[in-house]
Amino acid sequence: MKRERFIGGAAAGFTVASLARPASAQGKPITIGAAVSLSGIFSDGGHYSLEGYQLGVAHINARGGVLGRPLELKYYDDQSAPATGVRLYERLINEDKVDLVIGPYGTAISAPAANVAERYKMPMLMAETADVVMFSRGNRWIFQGLGPVQTYLYGVLSMAHDRGFKRLAVIGGDTAFPHALANAVPEIARGFGQAIVYQEFYPGNASDFSSVVEKLRAADPDVVLGMAFPTDSLGLIRQLKQSNYAPKMFYEAIGASDPAFVKSVGRDCDGTLSAVAWNFAAKTPENAAFVRDYQATFHREPDYHSAANYSAMHVFAAAIKQAGSINQEKIRDALATIRVPTLVGTYRVNPANGIQLGYTSYIIQWQNGKQEIVYPGNVATAKPLVPFPAWSSPNR
Amino acid sequence: MTVVQLVVNGLLLGGVFALSALGFNIIYGVMRVVNLAHGDVVVIAAMVCALAFGALGLNPLVLLPVAVAGGFVLGAAIHRLLLRRLPAETASTEASSLTLTFGLSFFLAGGGLALFGGSFRSVPFLTGAFDVGGISIPQAKLLAFALALVLAAALAAFLRFTAAGCAIRATSQHLEGALACGVDIDRVRTLSYGLGTAVAAAAGALMSMIYNLNPQMGVQFTVNAFAVVVIGGLGSYAGCVLGALVLGLANAFTSYFVGASLAEAAPYVLFILVSLLMPSGLLGRRTA
């Protein structure tokens, strides 16, 4: 417990000193509580999330805060563990008396954390939750701050449809979110006349994929959809190369969207498709300022976690403004009805269940060691490279 | 054809298992210390290699001698500073060394996290495969396989033909006898712990080209090494390689014919079967 407090406190202190410098925001801060996965299997994404929160808070405070008060972030490391996440949200709400909470990373932690928000009637914006299961339990206090799972898949299946590809393979880790993604495939695939010819879930911590790839080869799909986290996304692509197997299209839902993916896998990433909730190439003024300040502050490129969480802070700010005071019931009502233009689209949820309606996703493809947007066509930065180039191909 | 490819995949995976289990086996064989910090050393060596590749462009093969030397120094230091200070030859020595290496494992995992961060890292080097009549043979795994065989043979030769090796064997076979013959037990143990840790670090250098790792994944290597060594026979180097190959094949075939979700259970099923039917392992000494 002490260790968490120390880490949270030390990091928060750094942020306030180096980023915030509130220009005009005075008075008692409005506190936003968060459990962030800073260690454990989700820590790659968790660090992007945290940086997104920090930059969002800094930008809002630099413009005078909300209701004349600064925002303040209070966070702890949930170690990628659901039980820890639940404990931390109870602590944030009961002991730290935060004013609002922002959801954790990933379905496994978000689902139980959502129950805590419901129990204590605390508005929770879930900017890391594409899964929709927790929004079907008669919930009132949780709101989705990321495009739902369908938005991860529609683009890639539409691209496959345009090329006449009908045979799909779905593989992924045997954990909650890969299952949520896989469960969303059949309905979209039916609409495009596509069929799943092979589906397999391997253990979440699996490290060897040689037999999975042999089974893929035997099933001979056109499109391989890997519902893979950073842990397994690299193992899968490496195994494709080692087994000299190339489907016509290869998609990795989560792992391959990390801008740092190329560091671990090198140019072997070329041809891999992924989905991102944020268009890094969008030419809006907010986007340019976000990317510039993010790089200046954290010395690396933001990814979609950063953008979604940065946006979540702005959604909170807008909801508090509309509520006019720190009244959880009024902020809840505001979150259910407002529309806020953000980096990741216009925030707009279904008031009945909190599911996100306004945000969408883009399909990226690694080309020459860089992420290019290849779908939708009107914002594409490059033509899609289909089929996935063979491993022996000279242009690799 | 598929079956041939599965056999190749299984054997190569076994080579990787063997490589990561050899160091564990040395330390158990000589000291009867179940080294729970084993996997953490593997992972830390892999992290160092990934960083060196990213920052300096040095590939893990170039770093292999550095990993071996660094591992030896680290292991010798751990023995001198920590393990040696445990109360000697009390009934609780095995338990207290278990507790100590358990704590050490947490320390290394936490230190690794503080030092390297929680990100997954890997080295994109030797990622390709040789094609032999339609069968793919991944380069990095082939190298790990070869290195495991070479290391196992070198260790066996070292233990058999050198004075230091004889002292190590004497110590592991009969402590009092070795003492009576004037063997410097302390030195032998420092040497073995250094050797075991050096082999673990060498394994880590190769693992950085095979797996995507972060500092908290050490425990997987420890558990795997433990399974391999128990199946092969604690303290036997040939058994260690054999146990690893059996596990690799079991993993590949279970994954293909039964399902990937059960493949990770294969080592434990074998572990239980061997423990029940052949308590000293496939090639273990009967007088364990």
Side-chain angles (χ1 to χ4, degrees), chain A residues 3 38-44 47 174 200-203 205-208 210-212 214-215 217-218 230-235 238-239 241-244 262-266 268, chain B residues 2 5-6 9 13 113 118-125 127-129 131 136-138 140-141 208-212 214 216-217 220 251-253 255-261 264:
Chain A
R3 189 166 158 267
L38 297 177
S39 57
I41 59 167
F42 301 138
S43 62
D44 277 356
H47 284 276
D174 200 357
E200 173 122 31
F201 293 96
Y202 44 78
N205 63 353
S207 49
D208 190 85
S210 50
S211 290
V212 170
E214 286 314 312
K215 282 203 260 190
R217 197 199 306 273
T231 31
D232 43 346
S233 58
L234 177 134
R238 199 166 258 190
Q239 191 62 53
K241 181 175 182 185
Q242 292 179 348
S243 300
N244 192 21
V262 63
K263 278 195 206 153
S264 280
V265 76
D268 291 344
Chain B
T2 304
Q5 181 71 60
L6 287 178
N9 291 347
L13 182 62
L113 195 63
S119 297
F120 288 88
R121 294 172 200 275
S122 185
V123 177
F125 183 71
T127 55
D131 185 275
S136 303
I137 303 177
K141 279 186 185 166
S208 72
M209 311 187 317
I210 297 171
Y211 294 127
N212 197 16
N214 85 357
Q216 295 179 304
M217 290 174 74
Q220 289 184 28
N251 189 309
F253 277 84
S255 184
Y256 191 87
F257 290 108
V258 185
S261 53
E264 305 276 315

Side-chain angles (χ1 to χ4, degrees), chain B residues 5 7-8 26 57 61 129 132 158 187 209 229 232 243 250 278 282 286:
Chain B
Q5 181 71 60
V7 169
V8 168
I26 296 171
L61 296 187
V132 180
F158 171 76
R187 219 176 123 252
M209 311 187 317
V229 167
M278 312 175 71
L282 298 175
R286 299 282 174 250

